[in-house]
Amino acid sequence: MALSGLDIYKLLPKTNCRECGFPACLAFAMQLARKAERIDKCPYLSKESKEVFEAQALPPIKLITLGEGEDKLEIGNESVIFRHEEKFHHPCGIGIIIQDSLSKEEIEQEIAKINSLRFERVGQKIQVNLIAVEAKAGAGRFIEAVKTVSQNTKIALALMNEDPEALKAALSILKGRRPLIYSANENNLKMMAGLAKDYGAVLAVSVKDLDSVVSLTTELNNLGCLDLVLEIKGKSITDRIWDLTQIRRLALKKNNRALGYPVLTVIEESDSFEEAQEAATYISKYAGNAKYS
Ligand code: SF4
């Protein structure tokens, strides 16, 4: 939530020294509230006040980048509740899950299909934005699958595994590609935070309710892990939509930093029509990324 002129005034030194070019701190505060001036014109701010202004300058939903180069996926950095209020700066990314139980040839065929699925509609380039490798067949198969996928596509990648050794090996293969690690929870928080930091990866945080999101993201931030994507799991579609809406409202309207990250939904519906329907629902409200199995 933006600071009012009076809120800003309380953070200024109140000495009316005029060095900012205004006759009094209050006049400068009013211009700052209108966003007509820059805070760095006052050279006498306390450290605490500077921190408050710096936090205010951050977008309420953090910009998160996955992957690199032309095919990188940027999500977040949003400033309005309803996406139609502004241009879609960072539209929802679409991901496909590939299981490591497939053979090398099957994975290569899948990737070839995904790579070629690119088209233009009314000037907008549409493609798959994320490929997630899901662990199903043990560490060895997972690592081999990550290698095969990474050698055959430039699309951003996600690693769906919670085995630390398998993740370490996979992350070494993906050095410099800024993958998403899926996912941290109450039980593996420190280990996942360490891996994300060591390998420059983004970390997905999966929880069952809003209160847990706040405590987990706060703890991860304290561990120095700042690039996060949030997931609410194990709920009905209606309840998930409710939670996604609350996350967005609290981040944008109440400036709740612990919730100021893009959200991810994973869809594991067996019927392909219902799968697409569910994905469309989350894209409307308010997924930053939706992954299909
Ligand atoms: S420079 Fe800072 S302390 Fe001086 S008048 Fe402006 S706001 Fe107040």
Side-chain angles (χ1 to χ4, degrees):
M1 201 164 41
L3 293 175
S4 68
L6 210 56
D7 294 331
I8 295 171
Y9 175 66
K10 287 177 191 162
L11 295 165
L12 295 177
K14 303 184 201 68
T15 56
N16 300 330
C17 72
R18 297 176 174 234
E19 281 190 44
C20 56
F22 289 86
C25 295
L26 184 59
F28 183 53
M30 292 305 163
Q31 294 306 311
L32 287 172
R34 290 179 54 228
K35 301 200 188 306
E37 280 299 340
R38 296 188 333 264
I39 188 61
D40 57 9
K41 282 198 174 173
C42 174
Y44 304 114
L45 287 178
S46 67
K47 187 170 166 281
E48 292 73 30
S49 296
K50 264 190 197 158
E51 282 172 3
V52 175
F53 287 119
E54 276 166 14
Q56 281 293 318
L58 294 173
I61 295 181
K62 189 170 185 191
L63 176 67
I64 298 292
T65 305
L66 294 166
E68 48 159 15
E70 270 184 30
D71 280 342
K72 73 181 175 202
L73 170 63
E74 290 186 324
I75 47 178
N77 201 20
E78 301 191 39
S79 55
V80 290
I81 291 282
F82 304 109
R83 286 168 164 170
H84 60 260
E85 287 176 49
E86 260 192 18
K87 183 178 180 299
F88 274 85
H89 298 293
H90 298 113
C92 175
I94 304 292
I96 301 280
I97 299 171
I98 290 187
Q99 294 180 344
D100 63 4
S101 48
L102 295 179
S103 69
K104 187 172 189 288
E105 291 69 33
E106 286 170 322
I107 292 176
E108 284 170 347
Q109 282 167 13
E110 288 291 307
I111 297 293
K113 273 194 258 173
I114 292 169
N115 282 339
S116 63
L117 188 63
R118 290 170 194 250
F119 53 96
E120 202 167 318
R121 185 179 166 275
V122 203
Q124 189 185 4
K125 289 185 178 140
I126 297 172
Q127 65 170 89
V128 173
N129 309 103
L130 186 74
I131 299 175
V133 182
E134 185 178 22
K136 288 282 179 188
R141 290 287 290 274
F142 180 75
I143 296 160
E144 280 308 311
V146 171
K147 208 179 281 172
T148 305
V149 172
S150 68
Q151 285 167 350
N152 287 281
T153 189
K154 290 187 169 144
I155 292 172
L157 301 177
L159 303 172
M160 298 179 79
N161 197 340
E162 291 178 18
D163 169 2
E165 293 312 314
L167 273 176
K168 258 187 220 169
L171 286 163
S172 310
I173 295 167
L174 301 182
K175 249 190 191 144
R177 288 194 61 168
R178 202 166 169 71
L180 175 74
I181 303 176
Y182 179 93
S183 61
N185 54 47
E186 291 88 347
N187 305 320
N188 63 14
L189 201 72
K190 283 197 178 135
M191 180 272 286
M192 287 292 196
L195 286 176
K197 272 174 62 185
D198 290 350
Y199 290 92
V202 175
L203 185 58
V205 185
S206 296
V207 289
K208 293 197 172 76
D209 57 77
L210 285 183
D211 288 341
S212 311
V213 184
V214 172
S215 62
L216 257 62
T217 55
T218 306
E219 206 176 328
L220 282 164
N221 287 173
N222 291 339
L223 290 167
C225 195
L226 305 175
D227 289 338
L228 307 173
V229 172
L230 312 179
E231 184 200 26
I232 300 282
K233 64 192 301 187
K235 287 196 166 185
S236 67
I237 299 176
T238 319
D239 288 343
R240 249 207 265 191
I241 291 286
W242 170 261
D243 283 349
L244 298 188
T245 306
Q246 294 313 309
I247 288 175
R248 194 174 181 87
R249 282 180 182 278
L250 290 166
L252 287 168
K253 293 285 183 193
K254 301 290 179 190
N255 210 17
N256 186 329
R257 292 279 165 207
L259 297 173
Y261 298 96
V263 295
L264 162 79
T265 54
V266 178
I267 300 142
E268 288 173 299
E269 183 58 60
S270 53
D271 178 285
S272 59
F273 178 72
E274 287 186 12
E275 190 176 48
Q277 216 174 18
E278 190 176 339
T281 310
Y282 297 137
I283 289 168
S284 311
K285 284 192 167 194
Y286 289 101
N289 187 252
K291 277 205 289 243
Y292 290 83
S293 58

